[in-house]
């Protein structure tokens, strides 16, 4: 099982982190993103969207980090991280949507501007961050984890771009509940980091 | 089971459509959005994020349309629409992420500007639409449905804001595969529409 991977990508880190925390063995295939290797064979053949990560598990090929988390947790029966109960799945999917949308277009996009020089509207990335981070913080004031009172794939999906938010000029130090949640994640058995976290 | 609902919201329509297609009985509670009722009791107590839809199923309260689709399909064992197989769930979640992110920030946001006067960057909404719609169209050139070669919650999540894209000045008439897919959706037994579709 191969993960086409970029070390500096928080989306790739979501998968690396989950695999580390759950002991899933995955072969990392580094992709030379700056040279555009994600838009060339073999990556573009596996994912015509030209994005990383891409999971290649033989007959199963998946783009999108949230989809990969669901697939892996389900395949390896990590029901602590992705249960089968309807209400519990619903609770987690709420956070997968936040990871896909607000976190991606807030702190992640701010970092893409500052760290990688992408031509996005920086002001908008800060607006989105300023809306979503207080909501996440308020939730974490009453909950140790994003969903189900335990670590789940919701935490793996939301954490990477909050943990690297400072690289986009987004200061999270005032969000005490988020800061404490990050500390809890870093103490989980098997935890692995990425540059910038 | 109550859905706090706004008729003109595509996110609410995702849930109404799924319930209509699968025969799930749900009580619609219209929310006076223009009067700000989503930011007042009882809605804000159920969803501090101040967004619609909100599902109130007694002990289970969910925001986020994707999460509600997963919950309902799972609760009512609509495994045609949300199966239990890891690879199949992964394939669908790819599209739930697209619905949360690119569709929301592309055609949905363009409509929010044109139809509701929201102060978003219209140019950016068109850029996002111009990137995502060709990818969706290319996928549908080789597939009748977004995932699993059959209707799933992926179609329910992605369709509403593509079906109303013209209200944001996004012209989809050149995307033949998308146009044909919309026609297929409209022919599904139980199909229900929304204003603008």
């Amino acid at each position: 099982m191969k993960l086409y991977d970029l070390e500096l990508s928080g989306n790739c880190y979501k998968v690396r982190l989950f695999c580390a925390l759950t002991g899933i063995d995955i072969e990392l295939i580094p992709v030379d993103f700056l040279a555009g290797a994600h838009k060339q064979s073999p990556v573009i053949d596996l994912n015509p969207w030209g994005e990383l990560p891409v999971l290649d598990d033989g007959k199963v090929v998946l783009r999108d980090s949230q989809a990969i988390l669901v697939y892996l947790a389900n395949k390896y029966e990590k029901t602590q991280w992705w249960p089968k109960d309807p209400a519990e799945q619903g609770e987690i999917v709420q956070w997968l949507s936040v990871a896909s949308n607000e976190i991606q277009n807030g702190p992640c996009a701010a970092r893409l501007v500052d760290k990688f020089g992408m031509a996005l509207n920086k002001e908008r990335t800060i607006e989105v961050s300023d809306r979503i981070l207080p909501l996440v913080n308020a939730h974490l004031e009453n909950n140790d984890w994003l969903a189900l009172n335990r670590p789940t794939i919701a935490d793996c999906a939301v954490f990477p771009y909050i943990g690297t938010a400072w690289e986009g000029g987004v200061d999270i130090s005032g969000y005490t509940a988020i800061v404490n949640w990050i500390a809890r994640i870093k103490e989980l058995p098997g935890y692995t980091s990425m540059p910038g976290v």
Side-chain angles (χ1 to χ4, degrees), chain A:
Chain A
M1 190 168 63
K2 296 172 186 170
L3 186 75
Y4 288 87
D5 180 56
L6 176 66
E7 190 183 20
L8 293 179
S9 158
N11 281 318
C12 294
Y13 173 53
K14 295 174 190 177
V15 181
R16 298 196 304 267
L17 174 62
F18 175 68
C19 288
L21 293 171
T22 56
I24 293 173
D25 196 30
I26 195 160
E27 182 187 358
L28 300 180
I29 312 286
V31 175
D32 191 346
F33 195 82
L34 293 179
H38 57 299
K39 302 209 167 165
Q40 297 162 23
S41 246
V43 185
I44 198 71
D45 306 324
L46 293 169
N47 179 14
W49 297 47
E51 293 173 342
L52 295 174
V54 185
L55 184 80
D56 181 357
D57 191 18
K59 283 183 184 169
V60 179
V61 174
L62 290 170
R63 59 174 172 78
D64 183 66
S65 47
Q66 284 68 239
I68 296 170
L69 291 176
V70 167
Y71 170 69
L72 290 176
N74 208 342
K75 173 177 175 176
Y76 291 99
E77 306 245 332
K78 305 293 183 187
T79 50
Q80 175 190 328
W81 299 79
W82 173 246
K84 297 181 190 300
D85 175 75
E88 293 185 344
Q89 282 192 0
E91 198 177 325
I92 289 174
V93 173
Q94 293 182 140
W95 293 103
L96 300 186
S97 290
V98 169
S100 295
N101 185 8
E102 290 93 343
I103 299 294
Q104 187 75 27
N105 294 288
C108 168
R111 177 174 173 266
L112 288 175
V113 176
D114 281 13
K115 192 174 171 77
F116 299 100
M118 272 188 67
L120 297 168
N121 181 335
K122 181 70 194 288
E123 202 180 324
R124 175 69 183 152
T125 69
I126 299 300
E127 278 173 22
V128 176
S129 301
D130 285 349
R131 177 173 171 270
I132 193 66
L133 292 173
L135 289 167
V136 175
N137 193 67
H139 179 80
L140 288 169
E141 281 173 352
N142 300 310
N143 299 276
D144 278 355
W145 305 96
L146 292 179
L148 311 185
N149 297 316
R150 64 176 193 248
T152 68
I153 60 171
D155 302 289
C156 296
V158 172
F159 164 62
Y161 287 115
I162 292 185
T164 53
W166 67 274
E167 292 190 313
V170 176
D171 180 12
I172 61 160
S173 62
Y175 297 112
T176 309
I178 289 179
V179 170
N180 292 338
W181 167 69
I182 291 176
R184 279 191 291 277
I185 291 175
K186 290 186 174 180
E187 283 165 13
L188 289 172
Y191 173 80
T192 187
S193 193
M194 75 170 271
V197 168

